[in-house]
Amino acid sequence: MRNLARLIVCVAALSFSCRSAPVVETREELDLRPLASRIEAVARTLLPVDAWGDTRVLRQRVRIEWGGGSESFDAVLQRRPGELSLVGLGPMNLVGFRLTLRASAESQGGLEQVDFENRSGRALPFTPTHMLADVQRAYYPWLPGVPDCRACERSGWWGSVAIWEKVGERHLEQRRFAIRDALDQGSVVIRYSDWQGEPAVPRQIEIANGWLGYRITIETLESLAVDDPASP
């Protein structure tokens, strides 16, 4: 827990650069695009940062595999009011990159803001917005309400995206995203296992992105509530 607390302090002290606003498009705008362009737009679509109410810091080990190679790194995922951030760590827990989704003030148009800083000296395999979108697909609520069933499935829509969820005896086991009229063009499948803690957190998450052809494995090593008395 002390290691995680020290990382939080280090991460909070960073400044940001390379700002860009995420693309948010209506279903009508998406329907006018060619299929490949529509898939790309959906893959980068972000929810409002505060749509996930949990405030938490997760210390994680992440592995990304794609056709051209693979990459592994330790990371800290932090969700607090008005902000979602992912920090990639290098040797000796030095910050390699940080990307943040933050709520912008109404005076700035009310749109979410993506901040990105790369200190690793290497290009990331995917854009910051793609990475934040994967975090949201894994952790954010996409279907309304809390599942009130056990060993069941439920489905719904978010714009032009169809969403399915498989609920186990106690927790979410699988989530799938596909484009409404392009179900044969791949999907994003997320599998959850080894839920622990209170509130419970999945210790293992696998994201298979069939739209863009890569796989992410996330192992959560430590979890800390932001308002925990042990937090700094």
Side-chain angles (χ1 to χ4, degrees):
M1 194 69 72
R2 290 181 180 177
N3 289 337
L4 182 56
R6 283 197 292 269
L7 287 174
I8 296 169
V9 173
C10 175
V11 164
L14 288 174
S15 59
F16 316 120
S17 60
C18 190
R19 297 171 179 241
S20 60
V23 177
V24 180
E25 301 176 77
T26 66
R27 178 182 167 190
E28 289 73 19
E29 290 172 327
L30 287 172
D31 287 346
L32 294 176
R33 286 169 168 252
L35 179 58
S37 181
R38 289 167 53 203
I39 290 176
E40 170 66 11
V42 169
R44 293 184 295 116
T45 296
L46 297 172
L47 296 177
V49 64
D50 286 329
W52 182 27
D54 199 10
T55 53
R56 184 158 295 277
V57 179
L58 304 175
R59 184 170 66 90
Q60 302 177 318
R61 184 164 293 126
V62 180
R63 180 174 178 80
I64 305 176
E65 301 171 88
W66 66 98
S70 64
E71 186 78 28
S72 296
F73 57 91
D74 286 348
V76 175
L77 177 65
Q78 179 170 303
R79 165 72 183 102
R80 59 185 179 181
E83 182 179 298
L84 172 70
S85 64
L86 177 66
V87 178
L89 304 172
M92 300 179 65
N93 285 333
L94 295 178
V95 173
F97 70 86
R98 172 171 178 150
L99 58 101
T100 305
L101 177 67
R102 61 178 67 244
S104 297
E106 292 185 7
S107 61
Q108 298 174 313
L111 295 177
E112 312 297 279
Q113 182 76 40
V114 174
D115 298 334
F116 175 59
E117 180 185 25
N118 188 355
R119 296 184 177 184
S120 68
R122 303 186 319 184
L124 297 182
F126 307 104
T127 69
T129 305
H130 280 115
M131 296 178 73
L132 286 172
D134 278 324
V135 170
Q136 287 199 339
R137 279 189 285 267
Y139 288 98
Y140 273 52
W142 287 84
L143 297 180
V146 178
D148 56 359
C149 61
R150 292 189 175 188
C152 66
E153 296 184 8
R154 64 178 195 153
S155 61
W157 302 94
W158 194 90
S160 62
V161 179
I163 303 169
W164 296 266
E165 289 185 347
K166 180 180 178 181
V167 182
E169 288 298 319
R170 296 185 58 192
H171 303 293
L172 185 64
E173 293 184 348
Q174 183 172 302
R175 180 180 277 168
R176 179 182 173 219
F177 298 80
I179 295 179
R180 180 187 297 263
D181 58 349
L183 300 182
D184 60 341
Q185 298 298 313
S187 62
V188 176
V189 179
I190 305 174
R191 294 181 173 87
Y192 306 83
S193 60
D194 194 17
W195 289 76
Q196 297 182 23
E198 185 57 44
V201 173
R203 297 291 172 161
Q204 297 284 341
I205 296 179
E206 294 183 1
I207 304 173
N209 193 316
W211 293 335
L212 303 178
Y214 61 83
R215 180 181 299 272
I216 301 175
T217 303
I218 303 170
E219 179 186 4
T220 293
L221 307 174
E222 195 172 359
S223 174
L224 178 67
V226 171
D227 57 353
D228 191 303
S231 63

